[in-house]
Amino acid sequence: EPEVTQTPSHQVTQMGQEVILRCVPISNHLYFYWYRQILGQKVEFLVSFYNNEISEKSEIFDDQFSVERPDGSNFTLKIRSTKLEDSAMYFCASSKGQGNTGELFFGEGSRLTVL
Amino acid sequence: QKEVEQNSGPLSVPEGAIASLNCTYSDRGSQSFFWYRQYSGKSPELIMSIYSNGDKEDGRFTAQLNKASQYVSLLIRDSQPSDSATYLCLGLGNQFYFGTGTSLTVIP
């Protein structure tokens, strides 16, 4: 069964370093998303991406964050200068469409620890 | 403000009972609703989707949607200990935001 894959599963970085989290969405999906979950807290929407551009972003997704689909398969989230509060689990998701085909399928997550 | 509110937890039910989880939303543009289950340390897993007013049943799960009241619910019949998890509702339309989640514990 097709699935969303994410790498790395866990990354430890120093504050101020750049981090890139990678995702391979399900192949026939067109909409891509990043969410994050700080330990013990709710799943928070970061950004949605369609047709090679951001379609919506939350207040969390500030200038420190960027997303890119560098080729036909990968979808990346970059954090330019990490802060302690960026420590969280980051989930990538994809969907075939919106409305009745809008089910989001999630990857297993990338745990980011900022020291 | 785009908000999805879920009934406050945690919720505990005995094994075999019905668990009722509720969600209200503020964005009238939301067209599709989804219930996800999240085990501790794992990613959200899709359980049910519902698009039309009324009930939708899938095995032990029933989703209910009332767009006029901006209300969506999930009933779990014959609750099992393996149902113990956090349940998240998601509305899609003009928003992509999860509710805060309801923690369910099924007591053997």
Side-chain angles (χ1 to χ4, degrees), chain B:
Chain B
Q1 174 95 24
K2 301 171 181 174
E3 286 187 353
V4 178
E5 298 288 338
Q6 293 191 234
N7 59 327
S8 58
L11 178 66
S12 292
V13 300
E15 184 174 354
I18 294 175
S20 176
L21 307 162
N22 305 308
C23 181
T24 58
Y25 58 95
S26 61
D27 185 357
R28 287 194 173 272
S30 297
Q31 298 296 317
S32 311
F33 298 88
F34 308 90
W35 281 99
Y36 286 80
R37 176 177 61 200
Q38 186 180 30
Y39 293 113
S40 180
K42 300 295 186 181
S43 60
E45 173 192 10
L46 180 67
I47 301 175
M48 292 277 292
S49 57
I50 186 165
Y51 314 111
S52 305
N53 280 325
D55 295 359
K56 179 181 177 184
E57 188 173 316
D58 183 1
R60 295 186 295 112
F61 299 96
T62 298
Q64 299 172 317
L65 174 60
N66 184 326
K67 290 189 178 181
S69 300
Q70 296 179 244
Y71 174 96
V72 58
S73 66
L74 179 71
L75 298 177
I76 306 174
R77 290 182 299 280
D78 188 24
S79 296
Q80 302 297 309
S82 58
D83 294 327
S84 298
T86 296
Y87 290 80
L88 309 167
C89 69
L90 173 67
L92 287 184
N94 297 325
Q95 66 171 336
F96 304 87
Y97 298 83
F98 277 104
T100 51
T102 299
S103 175
L104 171 67
T105 301
V106 180
I107 303 166

Side-chain angles (χ1 to χ4, degrees), chain A:
Chain A
E1 185 171 323
E3 59 181 19
V4 177
T5 57
Q6 290 186 241
T7 55
S9 57
H10 188 194
Q11 180 154 357
V12 181
T13 190
Q14 295 292 323
M15 190 170 55
Q17 295 297 304
E18 176 183 284
V19 162
I20 297 176
L21 304 178
R22 292 181 168 80
C23 170
V24 179
I26 295 173
S27 62
N28 63 344
H29 284 190
L30 301 177
Y31 294 78
F32 314 116
Y33 310 83
W34 283 102
Y35 287 80
R36 80 172 185 190
Q37 187 173 33
I38 296 170
L39 187 64
Q41 297 186 25
K42 64 181 285 188
V43 178
E44 299 175 294
F45 169 72
L46 293 178
V47 66
S48 62
F49 191 87
Y50 170 71
N51 200 26
N52 281 321
E53 60 183 28
I54 291 173
S55 49
E56 186 163 342
K57 60 183 180 179
S58 71
E59 293 175 354
I60 302 169
F61 194 89
D62 60 21
D63 291 344
Q64 295 283 49
F65 292 90
S66 62
V67 290
E68 192 178 34
R69 189 157 162 79
D71 53 43
S73 59
N74 290 285
F75 179 51
T76 62
L77 174 69
K78 182 191 290 185
I79 309 174
R80 280 184 240 289
S81 178
T82 50
K83 302 188 277 286
L84 295 176
E85 54 264 38
D86 293 327
S87 294
M89 181 74 90
Y90 288 81
F91 293 111
C92 174
S94 68
S95 66
K96 191 177 294 186
Q98 293 191 307
N100 291 7
T101 56
E103 292 100 337
L104 270 64
F105 293 89
F106 285 81
E108 291 298 308
S110 293
R111 179 169 297 285
L112 175 64
T113 302
V114 182
L115 301 177

